[in-house]
Amino acid sequence: MSVGRETEDSQRKQRLMKRIGNLYDRIFEIDNLYLAHSKARLGKGRSYGVQYFEKNLEENIRMIHTELASETYKTSEYSNFTIYEPKERLIFRLPYYDRVVQHAIMNILEPVWTSVFIEQTY
């Protein structure tokens, strides 16, 4: 291997190993939580979980913020149900509250992952 090639590899590794800080703090920012709520509710605005969450929207967003900031958040239990069309399957789902948290995490991490992974990663 040539010296030039070793230098290129070293520079590439340094770029890939770049540390991105303060990601956790960005997850529980209020604006990010509101964005997460709007993404989580897409196509589900009439569901009971969304309507229940929106009855006290500000309070629920603040509660998520507080739990994440104090590191006391715990994922709820999954509920499950069976669908029969097109074939029988057992479906597990989290309450809407937890789906908002998932979207908040993805809002911050997806751009990081997209910049690191190759184009053929799905």
Side-chain angles (χ1 to χ4, degrees):
M1 188 183 291
S2 71
V3 175
R5 178 74 175 157
E6 289 176 13
T7 304
E8 285 179 30
D9 288 344
S10 174
Q11 289 172 348
R12 184 173 177 270
K13 285 180 184 177
Q14 285 178 346
R15 280 194 315 257
L16 292 176
M17 295 177 69
K18 178 179 165 185
R19 181 170 170 83
I20 301 171
N22 301 323
L23 292 177
Y24 186 73
D25 294 339
R26 290 174 47 203
I27 290 171
F28 59 83
E29 289 177 353
I30 296 294
D31 290 341
N32 185 45
L33 294 174
Y34 276 105
L35 175 62
H37 161 64
S38 68
K39 287 184 174 183
R41 80 180 304 276
L42 284 177
K44 305 197 181 320
R46 292 184 178 170
S47 73
Y48 174 77
V50 174
Q51 291 179 357
Y52 185 79
F53 188 87
E54 288 180 341
K55 281 184 183 177
N56 296 312
L57 179 60
E58 288 183 30
E59 182 181 328
N60 286 325
I61 293 291
R62 292 264 179 225
M63 190 180 314
I64 292 172
H65 171 79
T66 302
E67 288 179 6
L68 290 173
S70 65
E71 298 182 10
T72 58
Y73 171 78
K74 293 206 184 300
T75 307
S76 305
E77 293 290 320
Y78 282 84
S79 62
N80 58 38
F81 61 97
T82 304
I83 61 169
Y84 298 95
E85 294 295 328
K87 63 181 182 179
E88 186 174 333
R89 290 184 290 169
L90 183 61
I91 305 295
F92 291 84
R93 71 172 166 211
L94 282 171
Y96 182 76
Y97 185 89
D98 295 292
R99 284 186 259 155
V100 172
V101 174
Q102 286 179 340
H103 277 275
I105 293 167
M106 289 305 298
N107 287 343
I108 302 305
L109 293 182
E110 188 175 18
V112 173
W113 291 334
T114 302
S115 69
V116 173
F117 293 151
I118 62 173
E119 290 180 21
Q120 291 79 18
T121 303
Y122 296 96

